[in-house]
Amino acid sequence: MRWNATADLTAGAVITAVGIVCVARVRRARDLPVAALPLLLGVHQLVEAAVWHAGGGCGPATTAWVVIALPVLPVWVPLGVLLAAAPADRRRLWGPLAAGLATTAVLAYCLATRPATAEIRGHTLGYGVKVPWMPLVLAGYLFATLGALLLSGDRRLRLLGAVLGAGALACSALWRLEFASTWCAFAAVASLLVLGWVRRPGPGAPVT
């Protein structure tokens, strides 16, 4: 859902570089999943460049893109937020993780039994996966990913959740109008927010 392969490749390289810095600066092992989120987003962009070069279809690049976007993210994000959270904040984060595990199970089953396809639509890429109970699965996906961030006790992660939520709404609206998605910009901003989170004061200082 980007302008072209070159734009995806450029954005992916920049976001991946930010992700590498985030991972390198991690102070606590339990912060690693959140710190690695920009790296995952950057790789996702690079994979989509390969989808462009392949002309869409249902090849390995398409499958890799859909696997990251669908079954991986709804469990990666809430688990990462839960691991990084202070003990007092973890209880309310079990709900998003449970929703993420259920959503991931459904989406993984769909990908294992149905082909994923990509179609070039002007300056955008559209992905197709047959998912049953789509409104319910989408609600679980959003609660797992955005909900975990917004329920975090860390104000930086709550800000990240708000930015990603705004990005999802904007990109959804633009995609429906067949305009190029602005998700690259939101992914870049999200990466910088994660970098700021990684560079926050150490465990002895307040983080909320």
Side-chain angles (χ1 to χ4, degrees), residues 26-203:
V26 164
R27 297 187 184 97
R28 305 179 304 180
R30 63 192 181 94
D31 290 344
L32 188 57
V34 173
L37 187 57
L39 187 58
L40 184 64
L41 290 173
V43 170
H44 204 218
Q45 301 279 112
L46 297 174
V47 169
E48 187 162 79
V51 177
W52 277 105
H53 281 299
C58 54
T62 297
T63 301
W65 191 97
V66 174
V67 166
I68 295 173
L70 299 185
V72 171
L73 281 177
V75 72
W76 184 298
V77 174
L79 179 60
V81 174
L82 177 65
L83 290 174
D89 298 326
R90 291 176 186 167
R91 185 172 182 177
R92 63 175 175 268
L93 295 172
W94 284 106
L97 179 57
L101 289 170
T103 301
T104 290
V106 172
L107 293 173
Y109 174 79
C110 291
L111 291 180
T113 57
R114 303 172 176 88
T117 61
E119 177 186 358
I120 296 177
R121 302 169 181 169
H123 291 299
T124 68
L125 276 171
Y127 295 88
V129 181
K130 293 182 179 180
V131 179
W133 317 300
M134 188 58 191
L136 183 60
V137 173
L138 179 59
Y141 188 102
L142 294 177
F143 181 56
T145 53
L146 301 181
L149 293 167
L150 294 173
L151 289 172
S152 170
D154 190 314
R155 62 180 176 80
R156 298 169 185 83
L157 293 184
R158 292 197 299 269
L159 177 60
L160 176 61
V163 169
L164 290 177
L169 288 174
C171 292
S172 175
L174 290 173
W175 181 84
R176 289 178 184 279
L177 293 173
E178 297 298 326
F179 292 120
S181 169
T182 56
W183 182 247
C184 285
F186 284 104
V189 172
S191 299
L192 294 176
L193 290 173
V194 174
L195 179 59
W197 177 81
V198 169
R199 298 177 62 184
R200 71 197 188 282

